[in-house]
Amino acid sequence: MKEEVTVNWKLWAAAALVVFMAVGCGVKKTAVTIENAIGEWDIKELKIKDAAGVETVLEPLAAEGTVILQLAAGAYTLNAKDEEGYEYKVAFTVAAEPMTVAVGFNNCLSFEETTTVADGVYWSGSGDGHIRIVNALGDYAIYWVNIVEAGGDIYWDSTEYCQSIIVYEGEELNILLAPGTYDIQIEDVDGDTYTRYGVEITRDPYVWEVTLDDIDAFDAMSEGSAPVTIVNGLGSYDIWYVYCDLSSSPWGNDRLGSEILYAGDSYTFYVNPGTYDIKCEDVDGDTYTIWGVEVPASGYTWNVTLADMD
């Protein structure tokens, strides 16, 4: 006599459905839109690599173009190269919901020099941190942007990111650098400076819309009672910058501010008595420095001549 076999049809149907989905439908995938977000530039090379290291070459993307991919859940890396030869890298993770992955200038691995990417929009530097400087100074163009790790010497040790360009009213300079804490100093066409200290820079853009309210306040008369007089004895060379700081401190603000010390003229500012380093810079960028100067209460006068050139 044969043993009767009882079949649980509900369990059988559920198991069959799982097998059908796994075999017939494959792994569930999500729609991922890849977007060319680098303005008017085409992406000439585009590749995507999954967590297992499998790389897929995609078709080039025209300016503002998009392509939709069906990707399984997981981590991916997108590598791109634009028509100018700049390379980009974007890491992203696919989940269950459709998503868009934009290739933007903030994903660029490095700009070899300050680069114009659109009318009045410039990019410079390399790294995952992002600073955006916007000129809201009216008629005063930005000539220099110096950045140094917080606590460093902005004059000597910083990196200058404007390079060969000038940032006019309404224009912006985007800077890429390693995430960290930085001091940022901007200098305009008149030599006035605008400084922010201890700025935390991350992947999220740090935006500084520079206005005249940000100008570095400096009142030479209020610093001390000992007069320091600089006499321009350089002949036909005007002095554009004068620095005078305690020997134990880094270089600070330009004492001339928006003034220019013309040949034969003198300029006086006031400090507390002490030991100072004094530096002048002329119209050609040549510097003249004296170190460890003792400034007494009665003051100090330096007649700067070409013999003092560094």
Side-chain angles (χ1 to χ4, degrees), residues 243-292:
Y243 302 90
C244 179
D245 297 278
L246 289 168
S247 295
S248 58
S249 302
W251 295 114
N253 293 313
D254 168 31
R255 301 278 178 167
L256 285 177
S258 60
E259 301 292 327
I260 294 176
L261 183 53
Y262 296 103
D265 290 347
S266 64
Y267 181 81
T268 300
F269 52 90
Y270 293 80
V271 300
N272 291 313
T275 305
Y276 289 83
D277 299 331
I278 307 175
K279 176 169 60 179
C280 299
E281 183 176 333
D282 68 22
V283 62
D284 286 345
D286 293 318
T287 59
Y288 310 77
T289 310
I290 50 177
W291 307 90

Side-chain angles (χ1 to χ4, degrees), residues 5 35 43 52 56 70-71 151 164 188-189 196 217 220 223 256 283 297:
V5 178
E35 176 185 359
I43 292 177
T56 303
Q70 298 293 328
L71 299 177
S164 60
D188 67 21
V189 61
R196 288 188 177 179
E223 184 174 339
L256 285 177
V283 62

